[in-house]
Amino acid sequence: MLKLKEAEKAGETWIQSNKKDTYYWCALCVTSTGRIFAGNNDGRDDNKKGIWYSDDNGVNWTRSTNIFSCYSLYVISTGRILAGSGTSIWYSDDNGLNWTQSNKTTQRWGSFCVTSTGRIIVASLWGEGIWYSDDNGETWVRSNKTGSDWYGLCVTPTGRIIAGATTVSSTSRDGIWYSDDNGLNWAQSNIVGVSGSEWRSLCVTQTGRIIA
């Protein structure tokens, strides 16, 4: 795992932290206390996978108590941390020391995002579609967008939610979709997936431009 050598370099120079024995790092987040979390999904070694945290700006790392492969992390406004694993969605209310399993106990879970109403959206990596939660991640409901492997999620300043899929075959051509009703229903953009295309990350600039 790498960390910034100097903040003022803005990503130009990097040095390696003490956590360098595995390379399956899939997610990062920071809580309001300054604790940094990193998710690892190394399926080869149970001693490496899981959620790790650092209280010294990423120099040293400690693993949390619950051991599960982690694909995504997100901190909501209450301070609760959400984690998407290979089998479930988990949450922590004690700054990542302990984790509770939600009612969603299947599939691999990728990106999270939160709408202006506080609704949490999560994308399934293995064909279960796009889901949402109105109780801070404890229970989940599936939207009308099913199937495909969904990775990237973001919310624009207007409240539109954007989702990107990984197109794995000629019969799975989802591309990039959007929702204007808080994630209940989804429409396809002009980006239709072609075999092998992967829309894994999305972000919105200060001007409102969306990058995929």
Side-chain angles (χ1 to χ4, degrees):
M1 185 186 297
L2 301 178
K3 67 182 184 70
L4 274 175
K5 186 176 182 180
E6 298 177 27
E8 62 268 21
K9 292 295 184 181
E12 295 178 13
T13 305
W14 297 80
I15 59 175
Q16 197 165 35
S17 74
N18 78 328
K19 201 75 197 85
K20 55 186 178 181
D21 56 347
T22 180
Y23 50 85
Y24 289 89
W25 300 103
C26 293
L28 291 167
C29 72
V30 182
T31 67
S32 59
T33 67
R35 175 169 284 179
I36 307 168
F37 289 87
N40 188 288
N41 70 349
D42 192 338
R44 307 169 305 166
D45 190 340
D46 286 345
N47 294 316
K48 296 176 182 177
K49 71 179 181 182
I51 297 176
W52 297 73
Y53 62 88
S54 172
D55 291 319
D56 57 6
N57 283 329
V59 177
N60 297 286
W61 295 85
T62 303
R63 187 163 61 167
S64 67
T65 54
N66 294 63
I67 309 303
F68 51 82
S69 294
C70 181
Y71 291 84
S72 55
L73 290 165
Y74 197 93
V75 183
I76 62 176
S77 60
T78 64
R80 172 172 286 181
I81 310 166
L82 303 174
S85 77
T87 57
S88 184
I89 298 173
W90 299 72
Y91 58 89
S92 172
D93 291 319
D94 59 3
N95 213 22
L97 296 179
N98 297 283
W99 296 83
T100 301
Q101 194 173 38
S102 74
N103 77 321
K104 202 71 200 85
T105 57
T106 59
Q107 293 297 324
R108 293 181 179 179
W109 299 96
S111 298
F112 294 95
C113 71
V114 178
T115 70
S116 59
T117 68
R119 172 170 286 176
I120 306 168
I121 312 293
V122 68
S124 165
L125 301 181
W126 272 13
E128 276 216 7
I130 298 173
W131 293 65
Y132 62 88
S133 171
D134 291 322
D135 58 6
N136 290 331
E138 295 183 21
T139 59
W140 296 86
V141 179
R142 183 155 57 180
S143 73
N144 80 327
K145 196 70 198 91
T146 60
S148 291
D149 298 340
W150 297 94
Y151 280 82
L153 286 172
C154 70
V155 182
T156 71
T158 65
R160 174 171 283 181
I161 309 166
I162 314 294
T166 294
T167 304
V168 295
S169 70
S170 59
T171 59
S172 175
R173 304 172 65 85
D174 269 317
I176 297 176
W177 287 62
Y178 61 91
S179 171
D180 288 322
D181 60 2
N182 219 23
L184 293 177
N185 298 284
W186 295 81
Q188 191 165 35
S189 73
N190 70 320
I191 297 296
V192 179
V194 295
S195 182
S197 65
E198 299 184 355
W199 303 99
R200 289 179 175 264
S201 297
L202 299 164
C203 69
V204 183
T205 70
Q206 292 180 340
T207 65
R209 174 170 288 176
I210 307 164
I211 311 296

